[in-house]
Amino acid sequence: MRLLGWRHAHRLQPPPGRVRSGPPGPPPRDGYLEEIVAAFEDPSVGCVTHPVAGLGEKTFGSLLDNLHLSSSAAAGMIAAKHVADRDIVVGKSMALGGFFSVKDVLAEDYVIGQWVTRKLGKRVVLAHTPVFNVSLRKSVDAFFQRYLRWSVIHRTAVSPSTYVAQALLNPVPLAALGALIHPSALTGLAALAVALGKVWVDVAVFRALRPRPVTWRAAPAVLVSGSPATGWGERRWPNF
């Protein structure tokens, strides 16, 4: 808070207990607060958020969780900002004022990202420094339970067409379906190529965002974490 100063201290929402701004170990000089302060020196900036990567896995369920955060959530934030100029704010780390106005909103981070530009006329800055969500011993079932619940939020926050289009983010099931409908050596090789490409891209992103090496277990985890089961949440959790 002393680094932020009183002028910016009220803007900071500290990350949740399982989120940190650097890898486990002694407190690092990772530039987390410095980057926030520098961004708010520009008066046109209304919010600073960070891409979220996962680390610390000791079980396969936590590996799924950390992989999905890094290769899907964090990569999506970065791509949306730099490719489509769309702001996605993640509540695990965001700095701004006015939290009370969204105290009764479920997806408050998403709403904040919309309000900053539409109501305040200011910019959202996506910081270069990632924050790390530490998941250690989550079970595979707990992983799917979490993202099934997330799908409920997605279904209510975006248009039906956008929700359905999210299936294109994981082309492996579609490629496999195509190979089953029209079985041949060519469609089989195409489906295999799509699966290998998906694994390569996700593992590369996972490795780029983390300070620690990625083990071979991440390869099969890509196919499990992208299972279509994560999109069926509205059937099991109609209400919270």
Side-chain angles (χ1 to χ4, degrees):
M1 287 300 182
R2 282 183 293 178
L3 175 61
L4 282 173
W6 291 110
R7 185 159 55 100
H8 298 306
H10 69 285
R11 300 177 182 270
L12 181 63
Q13 173 175 308
R18 65 180 181 274
V19 178
R20 55 177 296 140
S21 62
R29 291 287 294 178
D30 53 22
Y32 174 76
L33 291 177
E34 290 88 344
E35 191 170 11
I36 294 174
V37 172
F40 277 117
E41 291 302 317
D42 183 344
S44 69
V45 173
C47 176
V48 180
T49 189
H50 295 75
V52 183
L55 54 73
E57 64 278 349
K58 296 184 181 298
T59 62
F60 190 67
S62 283
L63 174 60
L64 294 174
D65 197 30
N66 293 334
L67 174 66
H68 190 80
L69 275 175
S70 303
S71 62
S72 181
M77 289 178 68
I78 296 169
K81 183 67 173 179
H82 295 287
V83 176
D85 195 27
R86 296 292 298 273
D87 298 314
I88 299 178
V89 175
V90 173
K92 292 183 182 297
S93 179
M94 58 183 178
L96 77 165
F99 292 109
F100 186 79
S101 62
V102 291
K103 64 181 179 64
D104 297 322
V105 178
L106 178 60
E108 79 288 346
D109 46 1
Y110 175 82
V111 172
I112 285 171
Q114 301 297 306
W115 284 2
V116 165
T117 54
R118 295 178 183 178
K119 292 191 174 185
L120 301 180
K122 292 183 176 290
R123 296 189 300 116
V124 174
V125 170
L126 178 62
H128 293 91
T129 306
V131 296
F132 299 100
N133 184 85
V134 181
S135 178
L136 298 174
R137 302 185 184 278
K138 181 172 291 186
S139 67
V140 174
D141 181 66
F143 164 78
F144 280 105
Q145 297 278 345
R146 177 184 182 183
Y147 287 100
L148 285 168
R149 290 193 296 271
W150 268 25
S151 72
V152 177
I153 300 176
H154 292 174
R155 178 64 185 87
T156 57
V158 300
S159 66
S161 59
T162 301
Y163 181 74
V164 173
Q166 291 183 97
L168 298 176
L169 296 175
N170 182 17
V172 176
L174 298 178
L177 180 62
L180 290 174
I181 294 175
H182 297 286
S184 69
L186 180 60
T187 56
L189 288 174
L192 178 61
V194 169
L196 292 176
K198 171 69 172 172
V199 169
W200 183 85
V201 169
D202 282 15
V203 172
V205 173
F206 195 31
R207 181 176 298 166
L209 288 172
R210 286 162 47 109
R212 292 184 171 182
V214 176
T215 68
W216 63 269
R217 293 188 304 162
V222 170
L223 302 178
V224 177
S225 68
S227 166
T230 57
W232 298 340
E234 66 273 17
R235 299 181 182 177
R236 297 187 56 184
W237 281 277
N239 296 294
F240 274 68

